Amino acid sequence: SKVLNRLFGFENKLSIQTTHASFKNVQGITSTELSASDTSSNVSYSFKTLNYKIGYLKITSLIREQKDSMDNFLRTAFEKIKNDSIHKLIIDIRNNLGGSSALAKDIIDYVTVKPYTFSKGEEYFKNGKLVRDMDTTLHIPKQVNNKFYGQTILLTNVLTYSSADMMATGFQHFHLGKVAGQKSSEPLLITGEVAGTTLPNSKCVLYYPTSNFISLKLELLVFNKF
C-alpha cells in the first residue's frame, strides 16, 4: 500500500492477489500513519493505535537487561488495547536482532493460551564432547492481565534475527497468528547463551556463544516440501 499510494495516489481500498490467495477490499495503512509519533518514549518498545481500531506494537530489542522495562511497557500497552476494545493487533519485530528468548515468550504470552516452544533443542560441548539435547517440552503461557484474544499479525524481515527469529518461527509453527514480511536470514542453528572472558595481557573482552539452538525452521521446511 505504501508504494501504490506514493506512485499513484491511491486512497481507496485495495484488492491483493498473491500466489496462494486473493484479498478483497483491503484498507491500506499509509506510510504517514506508520511513521506517526509513538505513544511511548522508550526506543525499544512502542505502541499506537492505527485507524480502524488496529493496535501496532513495535518491538526492536529483546535485551535481557531491559526485562523490567519491557514488563512495564507490556502491562501498559495491553491495558490500553483492552480499554480501547482493539481486536486486531500488529506486532512488528522487523530489524529486531534478538537478545533473550525469555522476553520473546513474555510478549507471546499476552496473545495466546496455546502451549508452544521456540526450538527443538540445543547443541553444546560437555567434557570435550558435542552433546545434542533434543527437548520437545512445550511452554505453557503464563496468566497475565488483559490477555489479547483477537487477531494477531507478526511482521518480520531479513533482519529479524536470533531470538526474534525464534519467536517468529514458533509463532508460525504453532499457528498463533499470521506472519507477514520477508523471511529471516538466520540459519537453522541459532547461537546463544553468550559467555565472556577478558584476555590477561591486553584486557580485551571477548564474547562468544556456548550453545546452538536447533530451530523449528527445520520442521517447517520439511512440512512445506511435502
Side-chain angles (χ1 to χ4, degrees), residues 123-134:
E123 294 180 343
Y124 56 91
F125 281 95
K126 183 176 182 179
N127 298 326
K129 294 184 178 181
L130 180 64
V131 177
R132 186 181 178 95
D133 183 12
M134 302 302 290

Side-chain angles (χ1 to χ4, degrees), residues 20-90:
H20 302 291
S22 60
F23 305 88
K24 304 294 185 181
N25 297 322
V26 177
Q27 183 64 52
I29 300 298
T30 67
S31 58
T32 302
E33 290 175 298
L34 284 178
S35 61
S37 298
D38 293 324
T39 58
S40 170
S41 60
N42 190 320
V43 295
S44 297
Y45 326 114
S46 62
F47 174 79
K48 59 187 174 184
T49 303
L50 304 176
N51 288 344
Y52 311 100
K53 289 284 188 176
I54 299 174
Y56 177 77
L57 198 67
K58 176 69 174 176
I59 308 291
T60 61
S61 173
L62 296 172
I63 298 176
R64 184 184 298 274
E65 289 74 16
Q66 295 181 344
K67 178 173 173 54
D68 290 342
S69 176
M70 173 178 278
D71 287 343
N72 292 331
F73 166 75
L74 291 175
R75 281 194 293 269
T76 301
F78 280 91
E79 181 179 9
K80 181 173 178 56
I81 288 172
K82 181 177 181 179
N83 291 340
D84 291 351
S85 300
I86 292 173
H87 299 292
K88 294 183 179 180
L89 177 65
I90 297 171

Side-chain angles (χ1 to χ4, degrees), residues 91-155:
I91 302 179
D92 188 349
I93 56 172
R94 292 174 298 178
N95 301 321
N96 187 322
L97 299 180
S100 170
S101 59
L103 271 67
K105 290 177 180 177
D106 289 340
I107 300 168
I108 297 300
D109 283 356
Y110 269 92
V111 300
T112 187
V113 295
K114 294 173 59 177
Y116 64 90
T117 185
F118 289 156
S119 66
K120 296 182 61 176
E122 61 181 309
E123 294 180 343
Y124 56 91
F125 281 95
K126 183 176 182 179
N127 298 326
K129 294 184 178 181
L130 180 64
V131 177
R132 186 181 178 95
D133 183 12
M134 302 302 290
D135 184 5
T136 57
T137 303
L138 298 182
H139 166 73
I140 305 299
K142 62 186 178 184
Q143 294 296 324
V144 294
N145 293 328
N146 303 313
K147 188 180 285 283
F148 180 72
Y149 295 99
Q151 179 184 1
T152 305
I153 296 176
L154 192 69
L155 299 185

